[in-house]
Amino acid sequence: MDNRKKLLGDLNHAKREDVKRKIKETKIKKGLQIPDNLLSKFVKYKRIVYKETNKHRKKLFKNWNGKDYYTKEKITGKCGWYSNGINIDHKISISYGFQNNINPKIIGSFKNLCICSRGTNCSKKAKTEKEFKNDRK
């Protein structure tokens, strides 16, 4: 493996900042990505939140008991934004965080994340955990 690494360089080069920047520049040139200066503040905020959220994905699922955080019902299905199964939810929503100037790294932090069903997440919408739980009573 050492010889291969010497010949090929860092095999995980896509994580290097200079490589990320070059990929981004290429996508912008080809019209596949919008430059940051043309993005809305909310879109920029969401990107930071999602980047932070993804750092905690493995730990979140490792500690998960298989139940919806809010309803306590067992969830079956696949994970994803468009599946009928499992979703990662932000207890304090991204929208609420943006509107109240909460640091996006706090919104994407492990303590602010939970797993719930797609249905629960859709019905929660932009409410905070507290608002959603009060509405369910």
Side-chain angles (χ1 to χ4, degrees), residues 87-100:
N87 277 193
I88 293 175
D89 180 56
H90 298 88
K91 297 173 191 176
I92 300 172
S93 73
I94 297 170
S95 177
Y96 182 91
F98 177 74
Q99 292 171 7
N100 291 280

Side-chain angles (χ1 to χ4, degrees), residues 19-103:
V19 174
K20 285 182 186 178
R21 184 183 41 75
K22 184 68 178 163
I23 290 169
K24 186 175 189 173
E25 288 171 1
T26 302
K27 285 182 177 181
I28 290 169
K29 249 185 226 176
K30 291 182 176 183
L32 302 172
Q33 186 171 337
I34 298 170
D36 286 345
N37 64 330
L38 298 179
L39 294 173
S40 73
K41 288 179 181 179
F42 181 64
V43 170
K44 289 178 188 177
Y45 184 87
K46 263 195 330 190
R47 284 186 176 177
I48 296 167
V49 170
Y50 288 145
K51 188 175 182 179
E52 190 66 26
T53 299
N54 283 330
K55 292 177 185 177
H56 307 294
R57 191 178 191 90
K58 283 183 185 176
K59 182 179 176 185
L60 191 63
F61 280 101
K62 184 179 178 185
N63 296 331
W64 182 47
N65 65 5
K67 296 181 179 180
D68 183 304
Y69 176 81
Y70 299 103
T71 66
K72 308 301 182 213
E73 294 173 6
K74 185 155 179 63
I75 303 174
T76 57
K78 297 180 180 177
C79 180
W81 293 109
Y82 302 106
S83 73
N84 290 325
I86 305 162
N87 277 193
I88 293 175
D89 180 56
H90 298 88
K91 297 173 191 176
I92 300 172
S93 73
I94 297 170
S95 177
Y96 182 91
F98 177 74
Q99 292 171 7
N100 291 280
N101 296 313
I102 299 172
N103 184 320

